Amino acid sequence: MTEPNVLEMTGLTRLFRKGGGLFGGKSFAAVDDVTFTLPAEPCVSSIVGESGSGKTTLARMLLRLVTPTSGEIRLLGRPVHGQKTERIDDMSFRRQVQPIFQNPFEAFSAYLPVIDYLRATARNLEVAEGARAVDAEVDRALRMVGLSLARVEGKFIRQFSGGELQRISVARALIPRPRLIVADEPVSMVDASLRMSIVNIFKRIKDEEGISFVYITHDLSTAYYLSDRVSIMNKGRIIESGTPADVLDDPAEAYTQELMNAVPRVNDRWPEIDRLKAASVPA
Ligand SMILES: Nc1ncnc2c1ncn2[C@@H]1O[C@H](COP(=O)(O)OP(=O)(O)OP(=O)(O)O)[C@@H](O)[C@H]1O
Ligand SMILES: [Mg+2]
């Protein structure tokens, strides 16, 4: 039997009312007829587009936080939305798909030591039973991002830097050994050097753990460096997709060309992308 695709979106559409409110305004498509596949083998698929193009709405539908108006999402061959009897069960869904958000400070409680939150994640997702086994899983996840249980134990979020906390939220996502991580602007709040280390962590996780990523960003440099596939989103639609070289070196669409024109280039090279390639993963 062939392995199912990790993700299949077909004709995915989400309407909202303009101007918000229940009765206000006409409706418009924040996501408009998007069809998109992630194959069975691990891959990083980036979605790039300017503010308001529908990226977060798409991510929230993938995470089952927003209901599609029409169209379908399948995860590992099973519907994500729809009747409870037909769709993927909640526990499998929560274990197979994990989110990483833009602001890591919002991902954790300010009143709970961060390690307790990670332990609770492992217990709630039934990753391990018993304190020792739970700690072993949490430590495994933290080591994948260059940290360890011993380094995190007893600390609250305010005792970590933004970059460390984002690495911890990557570790949190790794606890259930998911097949897919949906990362919505995960590096837009961290500075350039940390951005490189987090992007390199994603690359290593894909290669070593076989986890696929939907990587949502404004940032063409990291999308170019990290992705197997890039999709350009404009006004709710995917207007162009392919390998980074196909899409970004030689855009077919004027909109993509405009996005690329905004990336600094020196002698026909992108210094930012070259720096990403040179940066190493923290030990
Ligand atoms: N709950 C909602 N109700 C009404 N309109 C919404 C809602 N959520 C999003 N929108 C609208 O849908 C459009 C797409 O928003 P979305 O947040 O998906 O864009 P985005 O590409 O993630 O933007 P950004 O890059 O700024 O994060 C915007 O016009 C937004 O105002
Ligand atoms: Mg967004």
Side-chain angles (χ1 to χ4, degrees):
M1 212 182 81
T2 53
E3 261 213 87
N5 288 325
V6 168
L7 193 66
E8 285 169 15
M9 287 178 251
T10 322
L12 197 66
T13 299
R14 171 67 204 208
L15 304 178
F16 285 123
R17 295 220 172 260
K18 258 196 180 120
L22 209 45
F23 306 106
K26 277 205 319 223
S27 65
F28 77 101
V31 173
D32 191 0
D33 196 17
V34 166
T35 294
F36 181 99
T37 300
L38 257 70
E41 51 290 353
C43 93
V44 175
S45 196
S46 295
I47 297 176
V48 179
E50 64 188 352
S51 187
S53 56
K55 306 180 299 296
T56 293
T57 305
L58 187 68
R60 290 175 65 80
M61 287 194 277
L62 292 180
L63 294 166
R64 205 144 81 184
L65 300 171
V66 164
T67 311
T69 306
S70 58
E72 195 188 43
I73 305 175
R74 284 177 178 263
L75 177 75
L76 301 165
R78 288 179 292 172
V80 167
H81 295 271
Q83 297 290 338
K84 250 203 161 137
T85 47
E86 280 159 27
R87 71 183 195 204
I88 183 169
D89 69 276
D90 289 352
M91 183 56 100
S92 305
F93 181 77
R94 287 167 58 213
R95 291 168 62 131
Q96 301 287 13
V97 186
Q98 282 290 316
I100 298 172
F101 297 109
Q102 180 171 11
N103 183 353
F105 291 93
E106 283 173 8
F108 300 99
S109 160
Y111 306 104
L112 203 63
V114 168
I115 202 73
D116 289 357
Y117 190 87
L118 299 178
R119 285 173 173 139
T121 301
R123 279 193 304 269
N124 293 341
L125 297 178
E126 298 170 8
V127 170
E129 264 179 64
R132 273 236 197 129
V134 163
D135 279 3
E137 290 297 317
V138 170
D139 189 51
R140 175 194 68 86
L142 285 166
R143 285 177 188 280
M144 273 190 251
V145 301
L147 293 165
S148 65
L149 188 138
R151 281 173 66 183
V152 174
E153 179 115 63
K155 289 192 191 169
F156 291 83
I157 54 171
R158 61 175 179 276
Q159 292 166 286
F160 294 102
S161 69
E164 279 173 326
L165 214 50
Q166 194 55 303
R167 273 154 65 196
I168 295 170
S169 63
V170 176
R172 191 206 54 75
L174 294 171
I175 286 174
R177 302 172 192 252
R179 282 294 295 275
L180 176 66
I181 287 178
V182 178
D184 189 356
E185 310 261 12
V187 294
S188 58
M189 286 182 70
V190 297
D191 70 34
S193 64
L194 288 167
R195 190 172 303 156
M196 293 179 199
S197 78
I198 288 176
V199 164
N200 273 314
I201 286 169
F202 288 173
K203 220 174 179 141
R204 199 179 58 190
I205 290 168
K206 183 194 88 172
D207 293 339
E208 293 178 8
E209 304 294 311
I211 297 173
S212 291
F213 285 79
V214 173
Y215 175 65
I216 292 175
T217 188
H218 284 96
D219 179 46
L220 284 152
S221 308
T222 51
Y224 190 102
Y225 169 65
L226 181 64
S227 314
D228 299 294
R229 290 189 71 78
V230 175
S231 300
I232 306 294
M233 204 164 174
N234 183 24
K235 297 191 180 123
R237 290 182 157 261
I238 290 181
I239 56 164
E240 176 163 28
S241 64
T243 63
D246 280 349
V247 174
L248 301 177
D249 286 339
D250 186 18
E253 297 287 331
Y255 177 78
T256 311
Q257 187 64 58
E258 264 174 55
L259 292 177
M260 283 310 288
N261 289 344
V263 181
R265 238 185 246 229
V266 178
N267 298 331
D268 227 35
R269 294 200 60 88
W270 292 302
E272 176 75 16
I273 293 172
D274 291 340
R275 269 196 292 141
L276 278 166
K277 288 183 178 161
S280 61
V281 177

